[in-house]
Amino acid sequence: MIIKSYEIQKVKHNILKSNFFLMYGENFGLKNDIKEFVKKEIKQGETVETLSLYENEILAKENEFYDSVYSGSLFSNTKIICIHEATDKIFKTIETIYEKKIENVFFLLVSPILEKKSKLRNFFETNKKMFCFPCYLDTEKDLEIILQYEIKKSNIVLSRESLNLLIE
């Protein structure tokens, strides 16, 4: 399911209904913000073990990766596995894990720009039990939507001229 960056607050209550998240694109700051937001939502009231891996590490030691995914933790009841630089090379691994329907393990995939025909991107976009966040550079319209949301949330009143100045 595709979620735009400015819609993340709207789906906040549904975040924990999925345990697969893909953030792709060239906006590194936005990808990091979304990743931290999702981690924060998962961690609420939970003891969490966090693993941070790169795709090439996983592919080099695939059996060890599967062991870490399927094994429990002594000190926590939830795992967050962040996979950096994820591309189509890891698609089969993610698909295999998804089919096993494991619980209490969350996967945050952070990818560079993924083409429209990317298997990984299509898998996340077409599956209603997965979240996909495209993270492209902000346009003026995106900035306006974000600014309007933040101003409304903070009960700030600004003139149109001030809004345009902030967006520029």
Side-chain angles (χ1 to χ4, degrees):
M1 174 183 341
I2 302 171
I3 306 294
K4 304 286 187 207
S5 60
Y6 55 85
E7 296 175 326
I8 195 165
Q9 292 294 332
K10 294 177 186 176
V11 297
K12 182 178 180 177
H13 59 281
N14 289 328
I15 288 287
L16 298 179
K17 291 182 180 176
S18 174
N19 53 346
F20 287 87
F21 304 88
L22 172 67
M23 292 139 279
Y24 70 90
E26 66 239 357
N27 193 333
F28 298 106
L30 181 56
K31 287 191 284 189
N32 193 48
D33 289 349
I34 293 170
K35 182 175 76 171
E36 293 306 316
F37 175 82
V38 171
K39 280 182 174 181
K40 186 177 139 198
E41 290 301 309
I42 294 168
K43 288 181 179 181
Q44 289 182 350
E46 296 282 332
T47 53
V48 176
E49 176 186 353
T50 303
L51 297 172
S52 188
L53 304 164
Y54 283 86
E55 176 187 74
N56 56 0
E57 296 172 325
I58 294 168
L59 296 175
K61 299 177 182 176
E62 205 164 348
N63 288 335
E64 290 178 24
F65 175 68
Y66 284 125
D67 290 343
S68 67
V69 169
Y70 299 127
S71 65
S73 175
L74 294 174
F75 305 106
S76 63
N77 32 345
T78 304
K79 269 187 203 177
I80 298 174
I81 300 176
C82 293
I83 302 172
H84 300 280
E85 302 298 323
T87 63
D88 282 346
K89 293 177 187 176
I90 201 161
F91 170 72
K92 283 288 184 202
T93 306
I94 297 300
E95 184 180 43
T96 301
I97 294 168
Y98 176 77
E99 289 170 356
K100 300 259 188 215
K101 296 182 183 354
I102 57 172
E103 294 182 17
N104 298 328
V105 180
F106 294 86
F107 295 89
L108 306 178
L109 283 77
V110 182
S111 297
I113 298 171
L114 295 175
E115 297 294 321
K116 189 89 172 142
K117 60 186 175 187
S118 163
K119 289 179 183 178
L120 188 63
R121 178 177 166 179
N122 285 326
F123 187 56
F124 276 80
E125 286 181 348
T126 57
N127 192 317
K128 294 195 183 295
K129 294 183 180 181
M130 298 176 150
F131 286 103
C132 182
F133 300 96
C135 300
Y136 297 115
L137 296 177
D138 295 324
T139 64
E140 282 189 30
K141 182 165 177 48
D142 294 334
L143 292 174
E144 183 179 347
I145 290 168
I146 294 166
L147 185 58
Q148 291 284 1
Y149 174 78
E150 292 298 325
I151 287 172
K152 188 181 239 182
K153 185 172 81 173
S154 302
N155 291 327
I156 298 172
V157 178
L158 290 176
S159 67
R160 186 72 198 154
E161 187 177 285
S162 297
L163 288 173
N164 291 337
L165 188 60
L166 285 171
I167 290 169
E168 284 180 36

